[in-house]
Amino acid sequence: LRLLGLGCVSPEAAASEFLDPKTHKFKLEELQNNVPKGVNSNRRQDYLDDKTFEQVFKMKRDDFEKLKDWKQRDLKKANKLF
């Protein structure tokens, strides 16, 4: 990670440390147990394929992203993705 003084990391540097969720998908079980190397643990849901995402969260990604942060967090906790 490229540091910006006082321990801050630029968003670009942080993003480059993670696999691109558009091109890297994992099974639900893989994301629930040990977070695979290169996966942003705060955004595990992004690494699910669309069908699995909708089965797990009972909604489309766009609808999930519109939810308040606390509601997203509660849903991720309930599905062991937090």
Side-chain angles (χ1 to χ4, degrees):
L1 294 175
R2 189 178 46 182
L3 299 179
L4 295 177
L6 301 178
C8 297
V9 178
S10 73
E12 299 81 21
S16 68
E17 296 294 316
F18 299 120
L19 296 172
D20 183 354
K22 292 177 184 171
T23 57
H24 292 83
K25 299 297 180 187
F26 294 88
K27 294 180 182 179
L28 176 62
E29 297 78 20
E30 293 176 290
L31 296 167
Q32 288 174 323
N33 297 324
N34 296 320
V35 180
K37 183 177 175 144
V39 168
N40 181 343
S41 61
N42 294 320
R43 303 286 308 173
R44 293 186 219 183
Q45 72 277 6
D46 294 346
Y47 296 89
L48 293 170
D49 63 65
D50 290 336
K51 181 179 177 183
T52 304
F53 184 96
E54 291 175 20
Q55 289 173 338
V56 169
F57 293 105
K58 313 283 190 265
M59 67 184 79
K60 296 197 177 288
R61 288 180 196 275
D62 291 344
D63 295 328
F64 181 85
E65 292 299 326
K66 292 175 188 173
L67 297 174
K68 296 197 179 287
D69 288 342
W70 67 266
K71 183 64 176 173
Q72 288 182 19
R73 189 171 41 255
D74 285 354
L75 288 170
K76 291 192 293 186
K77 283 181 182 179
N79 290 289
K80 299 178 183 167
L81 289 169
F82 188 79

